[in-house]
Amino acid sequence: MAFRSISRRFGSRLLTYRSSSLASLLHSHATSFGFQEVKEEEKSKLVGNVFTNVASSYDIMNDVMSGGLHRLWKERLVGKLSPFTGMKHLDVAGGTGDVAFRIFDAVNSVKRRALRKVDEESLEETQIYVCDINPNMLNVGKQRAAERGLSDNKSLVWVEGDAEALSFDDNSMDGYTIAFGIRNVTHIEKALAEAYRVLKRGGRFLCLELSHVDIPIFKDVYDLYSFKVIPNLGELIAGDRDSYQYLVESVRRFPPQEKFATMIADVGFEKVEYENLVGGVVAIHSAIKL
Amino acid sequence: MYRTAAKRLLGAGFATSRLLRLPKPRPTTTIIPYSYTSPLCTSSSMGHTESPIGNQSVNLNQPDPTSSSTGTREGTRRDESSRKPRAEFQEEQARVLAASLRHVPRLGWTEEAMIAGSREVGVSPSIVGSFSRKEAALVEYFMDECLQLLIDRVDSGLDLQNLIPSERVSKLVRIRLEMQIPYMSKWPQALSIQAHPANVPTSFKQRAMLVDEIWHTVGDGSSDLDWYVKRTVLGGVYSTTEIYMLTDDSPEYRDTWAFLDDRVKDAFDLKKSIQEAKYFAQDIGAGVGKSFQGLMNGVMQTMSTRGRSSAF
């Protein structure tokens, strides 16, 4: 895997050009459902249908499509976050709980407990909120928690909510993650603004998302795999070709790494950086609220 | 090396301003403690354009892991932006690290210390996750602070006039090492962090800067090979003294300072010894050459007299 971390900044001479192209980009994202054109109001309903359909086989499909790599990507995401005890964390669009469980484990691992120094503030309890707009995905997550014996654990809280209008207080979260979810949001800038709102000062924003590949030959291989193999896998395993067709198309429609970094900075975040994994198939964007 | 070069370039009028203010692009700089630079300091290496509407800009990182060169724009941007001034990341990082140092004797050079530090400053501990090479960031910040303190001590009138060079070097190294005394219980940890392959480039550079600063203060005007030799030797003296200090129990580290004085004397003697060895070699060469020449002359004379007689 080639890991590369790059940050960027604004240049004023490109400002006017960029803002108009950004506005049109956001509008086109809001009205696109994959390669189809849809009304803005309808997009969230259509996305909702997709996830209601795929919820039960979501995890299996992730494993098959990425060859198990998605686990490594999520590990890296949590590694970058550096969770600590007493943390208040929000995982948005994290329905089935992959990221949340990893954070929980990181905070409560035996090694951590052994190394923990007595510190009054760490007696505060870690709270990990998992927010998802789709109740089916949340149910799968709750089920998995039960399987691990965590259903009564007060640290994990499952909340139904919309990324564009979170029900949490301002300045209440130490960390905010969204893994493979921001692509499905109708208005990306609203989700980012909400993220900025709920984070405390010094809070960390991390976004793991499928992104754009620029490497010449690899790009074609990836396109071939996306458009030929994945919808067929969807049909075979999940019995739903259309949802996975939507998935690969929505990846292409999502803004590329640099553009997305610009959008994050626009909302007010500092130290915006991104790291490409697998040549750009996946990118982790990180930022801090100051 | 920067300070001697600058003095040479800019002449005697070069104010003894902070080494760290030189407007030079440094691809692998260490974290620069911004509390020491003036608010209006700009680095020409950044050369960014101001956004007229005062939009929030994204920090620029040169592709380097220490990510320290981003914060230089803060001064001008704060002056010109119409928004309320926002703390830049570099400043916050420096503040958090400074606060963390107070927790190091208790918690070590660890994330816990930095989390405690960030809580003191009033920032979410999540910010620690974004420091590159976390514990190394803390150690490097401390090294920079110490170098800055040393420069400050020197500038604010440290009396070196009455001392011979070897004593000056001793005094400066002692001042620098004394700054580490509060952290001595956890210093081995700091050394091991500095020795990690990922951190070696920065720690090496910091030590090189320190050694250069000391030689510069002592009044070193050397160039070419001698410059490197001097710094290498002093680097060795400094490191060995540092390690000796780790296991020294004597009151007020008396044994360490005695060790230091001996090593510095050896180093200066070494210089003299090398010079003596050079002269010695020259003499021997001259001696051997002379006797060889004498021999050849003798042979020539004998042959010529024999030749005359045999020609009879």
Side-chain angles (χ1 to χ4, degrees):
Chain A
M1 286 192 205
F3 295 164
R4 213 181 51 224
S5 191
I6 302 168
S7 317
R8 56 172 311 284
R9 62 165 167 83
F10 252 124
S12 64
R13 59 188 186 281
L14 294 176
L15 183 64
T16 39
Y17 162 70
R18 221 203 302 276
S19 61
S20 63
S21 73
L22 210 58
S24 61
L25 182 86
L26 289 173
H27 180 73
S28 79
H29 179 85
T31 56
S32 68
F33 182 72
F35 291 157
Q36 295 172 28
E37 288 296 314
V38 298
K39 291 212 199 69
E40 237 174 270
E41 309 81 62
E42 287 195 7
K43 174 160 176 173
S44 58
K45 195 154 59 82
L46 290 167
V47 172
N49 289 344
V50 166
F51 281 93
T52 309
N53 293 340
V54 308
S56 50
S57 49
Y58 186 72
D59 293 320
I60 299 177
M61 275 303 292
N62 277 346
D63 268 329
V64 172
M65 282 193 293
S66 65
L69 282 178
H70 73 107
R71 295 161 200 268
L72 294 179
W73 299 333
K74 286 167 186 162
E75 293 282 340
R76 185 143 182 99
L77 180 73
V78 173
K80 281 191 118 154
L81 179 66
S82 289
F84 56 91
T85 31
M87 186 178 199
K88 304 262 178 298
H89 185 81
L90 173 62
D91 182 32
V92 174
T96 54
D98 260 348
V99 172
F101 289 136
R102 282 187 168 82
I103 296 176
F104 182 82
D105 287 339
V107 171
N108 292 316
S109 70
V110 176
K111 190 175 94 167
R112 271 281 173 133
R113 269 183 267 138
L115 290 177
R116 198 184 297 171
K117 313 282 179 187
V118 176
D119 185 8
E120 315 85 61
E121 266 124 315
S122 75
L123 295 176
E124 263 176 46
E125 237 189 61
T126 321
Q127 289 280 330
I128 303 172
Y129 297 92
V130 184
C131 175
D132 201 296
I133 199 171
N134 191 300
N136 288 38
M137 294 287 278
L138 279 176
N139 287 336
V140 173
K142 287 182 194 165
Q143 216 177 341
R144 290 179 64 196
E147 280 165 29
R148 288 176 181 226
L150 295 173
S151 46
D152 293 327
N153 195 304
K154 280 189 266 100
S155 300
L156 283 170
V157 182
W158 307 86
V159 178
E160 194 174 325
D162 185 358
E164 295 181 22
L166 293 169
S167 56
F168 301 98
D169 294 330
D170 293 5
N171 299 310
S172 59
M173 295 293 165
D174 291 303
Y176 176 108
T177 48
I178 181 164
F180 302 118
I182 201 147
R183 202 180 67 245
N184 301 310
V185 164
T186 311
H187 299 107
I188 300 176
E189 68 282 10
K190 281 197 194 158
L192 292 175
E194 279 294 282
Y196 189 81
R197 182 182 68 80
V198 301
L199 278 173
K200 283 184 199 169
R201 213 175 107 81
R204 200 99 183 280
F205 168 87
L206 284 163
C207 171
L208 174 67
E209 191 52 80
L210 294 163
S211 202
H212 293 244
V213 178
D214 284 325
I215 304 170
I217 302 173
F218 183 60
K219 181 174 167 34
D220 299 320
V221 170
Y222 177 58
D223 282 344
L224 195 77
Y225 178 73
S226 295
F227 289 105
K228 297 277 179 276
V229 177
I230 290 184
N232 288 323
L233 282 176
E235 183 159 20
L236 212 66
I237 298 175
D240 186 352
R241 164 181 284 271
D242 294 333
S243 299
Y244 288 93
Q245 186 69 33
Y246 157 73
L247 183 131
V248 297
E249 288 175 3
S250 65
V251 173
R252 295 301 179 287
R253 282 298 211 129
F254 190 72
Q257 286 89 323
E258 289 283 341
K259 272 253 155 69
F260 187 52
T262 313
M263 291 163 70
I264 296 173
D266 272 345
V267 170
F269 283 108
E270 302 256 351
K271 202 183 185 236
V272 183
E273 299 177 309
Y274 67 86
E275 181 184 11
N276 278 340
L277 304 179
V278 194
V281 171
V282 166
I284 299 180
H285 281 77
S286 79
I288 302 185
K289 169 176 175 176
L290 277 179
Chain B
M1 41 216 127
Y2 300 115
R3 204 148 143 164
T4 43
K7 259 223 157 98
R8 254 182 266 136
L9 289 172
L10 302 173
F14 179 66
T16 54
S17 54
R18 301 296 159 257
L19 172 77
L20 306 164
R21 253 199 236 160
L22 287 176
K24 246 181 171 183
R26 288 192 288 275
T28 53
T29 47
T30 54
I31 294 166
I32 297 172
Y34 265 85
S35 46
Y36 289 104
T37 58
S38 79
L40 296 177
C41 157
T42 51
S43 168
S44 56
S45 62
M46 288 295 106
H48 77 298
T49 53
E50 277 306 303
S51 156
I53 308 175
N55 256 344
Q56 185 66 40
S57 34
V58 179
N59 288 329
L60 169 66
N61 262 353
Q62 290 165 349
D64 90 271
T66 57
S67 72
S68 58
S69 28
T70 50
T72 52
R73 300 149 29 249
E74 66 194 2
T76 48
R77 199 162 72 79
R78 198 175 293 129
D79 295 337
E80 295 178 31
S81 167
S82 54
R83 289 208 188 155
K84 67 170 162 62
R86 296 199 190 208
E88 281 281 353
F89 175 71
Q90 285 298 323
E91 252 188 37
E92 277 311 305
Q93 182 171 22
R95 282 174 64 204
V96 169
L97 291 175
S100 311
L101 282 178
R102 284 192 278 280
H103 298 270
V104 165
R106 192 168 49 100
L107 299 171
W109 304 88
T110 56
E111 263 186 65
E112 279 79 26
M114 291 194 281
I115 287 173
S118 67
R119 287 211 163 104
E120 250 184 53
V121 171
V123 172
S124 164
S126 298
I127 204 173
V128 172
S130 70
F131 295 164
S132 56
R133 296 174 296 119
K134 310 185 189 55
E135 291 95 5
L138 189 55
V139 175
E140 283 158 19
Y141 176 79
F142 176 70
M143 295 287 281
D144 275 334
E145 284 275 299
C146 287
L147 179 59
Q148 198 56 64
L149 277 174
L150 182 67
I151 295 173
D152 286 344
R153 277 289 298 272
V154 166
D155 285 345
S156 64
L158 184 66
D159 182 28
L160 293 174
Q161 298 307 323
N162 304 327
L163 303 172
I164 60 175
S166 67
E167 282 177 13
R168 288 186 203 173
V169 171
S170 273
K171 188 162 182 183
L172 287 169
V173 172
R174 177 173 171 162
I175 292 172
R176 172 62 181 77
L177 285 175
E178 277 171 348
M179 295 177 194
Q180 285 171 193
I181 290 177
Y183 306 95
M184 200 42 68
S185 55
K186 305 285 182 192
W187 193 248
Q189 188 187 12
L191 286 178
S192 76
I193 290 172
Q194 290 189 314
H196 284 179
N199 304 327
V200 162
T202 321
S203 62
F204 180 78
K205 194 176 187 88
Q206 283 176 314
R207 282 163 188 271
M209 274 167 66
L210 170 66
V211 159
D212 183 56
E213 188 57 42
I214 294 178
W215 269 122
H216 176 85
T217 310
V218 166
D220 164 47
S222 64
S223 53
D224 66 41
L225 196 62
D226 208 22
W227 189 92
Y228 289 98
V229 169
K230 279 191 162 143
R231 275 143 189 80
T232 313
V233 166
L234 182 57
V237 168
Y238 180 85
S239 297
T240 46
T241 315
E242 194 179 16
I243 292 174
Y244 186 93
M245 213 172 158
L246 295 176
T247 54
D248 186 12
D249 294 325
S250 63
E252 292 176 35
Y253 295 94
R254 242 180 284 144
D255 290 346
T256 308
W257 311 134
F259 178 86
L260 171 65
D261 287 334
D262 285 341
R263 297 288 78 70
V264 171
K265 225 158 40 76
D266 284 347
F268 275 75
D269 283 349
L270 181 70
K271 194 165 121 165
K272 271 191 264 141
S273 312
I274 290 177
Q275 197 63 324
E276 278 170 22
K278 256 197 259 168
Y279 291 145
F280 186 57
Q282 281 175 4
D283 288 343
I284 291 189
V288 165
K290 267 217 191 75
S291 53
F292 187 66
Q293 216 170 349
L295 185 66
M296 286 311 292
N297 282 341
V299 166
M300 297 307 280
Q301 271 176 349
T302 318
M303 279 179 62
S304 56
T305 47
R306 284 238 185 95
R308 256 184 271 127
S309 55
S310 66
F312 215 110

